[in-house]
Amino acid sequence: MREPASSSGLWARARPQHGNLYIWQILMLVAFFVMWHVLTVPGILPPFYFEDASKAAFFFGEPLKVFARIWEWFSTGDIYPHLWVTLWETILAFVIGTVSGLVIGLWLALNPIASALCDPYIKALNAMPRVILAPIFSVWFGLDIASKVALGVTLVFFIVFFNVYQGVREVSPTVLANARILGASRNQLLRHVYVPSAMSWVFASLHNSVGLAFVGAVVGEYLGSSRGVGYLILQAEGTFDINTVFAGILVLTAFALVLDFMVTLTEKRLMVWQPRQGETERL
């Protein structure tokens, strides 16, 4: 008699293969831009939301003009100085926020007394809307890169901190007991037990942290800057140039995806010890 298939096995068979998945993802993206083009270019469809079909293009832009603006930026090189500033702010905020969240999260997770003392203050700082700190950082650090990096750090830090803290606290007591029986020192426990346990939580948070680092950089450029992609978007909004606004958004989104892909590659390289889903299902 044939054994019933498990739900995980059925789900694994129902999932598309990687090649087909990428094709469908590209087709969805193409369909989105085609729909955007059809709905915003006057004359293709009769007006159904706006009385004047040209108003749709004014409010939502036209994808062909958006791509033309992106091509103009990169072909002339006008965007490179601005893009470099925004990427540099993002990378600095991402690295500083991640490292500080990792270090402080490990320290508080391994020190119950310090954790109890700092707990209400950590929760209070986390509950504070960090965007309101942007004007304060501008006063403290000026309108240069430092104020944008500081804002991005506050957005990244707490995501990494809480994931590291929870990852250390979730270490199996049995694993700790066995390591201590084998004579593991405190440093060995930190290196071989606590850090590996925390790293899986850390990488889960880094994918969100990349986007938030971009948010910190762009919001800071909105409030006061003379460089950066956020500055270009702000200038375009001031002149009601919606196509340039969407062009800047698409450029930022593309580079955020590139950084997220780099995080994924780093995760695969450093987390080779972690079994994959298919391997755990066969065990």
Side-chain angles (χ1 to χ4, degrees):
M1 184 176 180
R2 179 179 298 178
E3 296 181 358
S6 63
S7 59
S8 60
L10 290 174
W11 173 249
R13 288 195 294 270
R15 287 179 298 180
Q17 300 295 325
H18 286 292
N20 295 334
L21 178 63
Y22 294 147
I23 293 174
W24 280 107
Q25 288 175 340
I26 294 174
L27 289 177
M28 289 178 61
L29 182 63
V30 172
F32 169 78
F33 284 113
V34 169
M35 184 180 300
W36 183 10
H37 175 75
V38 170
L39 293 176
T40 56
V41 174
I44 297 181
L45 292 178
F48 58 92
Y49 184 77
F50 296 99
E51 295 181 359
D52 185 358
S54 62
K55 291 183 178 180
F58 176 80
F59 284 101
F60 301 105
E62 299 179 49
L64 294 181
K65 294 183 179 179
V66 170
F67 292 134
R69 180 55 55 86
I70 295 175
W71 173 258
E72 178 186 350
W73 277 346
F74 284 96
S75 61
T76 60
D78 292 340
I79 197 174
Y80 291 122
H82 298 281
L83 185 60
W84 169 250
V85 170
T86 302
L87 289 179
W88 184 236
E89 294 166 351
T90 301
I91 293 172
L92 285 177
F94 178 73
V95 172
I96 296 173
T98 300
V99 173
S100 58
L102 177 62
V103 172
I104 297 177
L106 282 172
W107 175 61
L108 290 182
L110 297 175
N111 291 271
I113 296 178
S115 176
L117 290 173
C118 298
D119 181 69
Y121 303 104
I122 293 292
K123 291 180 179 178
L125 292 173
N126 183 50
M128 181 187 303
R130 258 83 74 187
V131 176
I132 65 175
L133 296 175
I136 300 177
F137 290 149
S138 298
V139 174
W140 289 354
F141 305 112
L143 298 178
D144 207 354
I145 290 179
S147 58
K148 287 74 174 175
V149 173
L151 180 61
V153 168
T154 61
L155 295 174
V156 173
F157 169 81
F158 287 98
I159 293 181
V160 178
F161 169 80
F162 284 111
N163 277 275
V164 171
Y165 186 84
Q166 188 65 27
V168 174
R169 298 293 291 270
E170 291 290 332
V171 173
S172 172
T174 303
V175 174
L176 283 175
N178 291 336
R180 290 192 177 102
I181 291 174
L182 294 174
S185 64
R186 182 179 178 84
N187 291 334
Q188 289 174 330
L189 287 175
L190 180 65
R191 178 180 178 183
H192 299 289
V193 179
Y194 289 117
V195 171
S197 175
M199 289 307 293
S200 58
W201 292 72
V202 169
F203 280 107
S205 66
L206 292 186
H207 296 283
N208 294 327
S209 300
V210 170
L212 289 178
F214 260 108
V215 169
V218 174
V219 169
E221 291 169 355
Y222 259 66
L223 295 178
S225 179
S226 60
R227 297 178 297 172
V229 180
Y231 167 77
L232 292 179
I233 295 175
L234 180 63
Q235 294 295 107
E237 288 181 350
T239 58
F240 298 100
D241 187 356
I242 193 66
N243 293 311
T244 301
V245 172
F246 278 113
I249 293 173
L250 289 180
V251 169
L252 289 177
T253 302
F255 278 90
L257 291 176
V258 170
L259 288 180
D260 183 79
F261 178 71
M262 294 173 63
V263 171
T264 301
L265 292 180
T266 306
E267 179 182 7
K268 291 180 180 180
R269 183 69 179 270
L270 297 180
M271 303 290 289
V272 292
W273 54 270
Q274 193 175 39
R276 297 180 179 177
Q277 182 178 358
E279 295 174 351
T280 57
E281 291 174 354
R282 291 194 298 267
L283 296 177

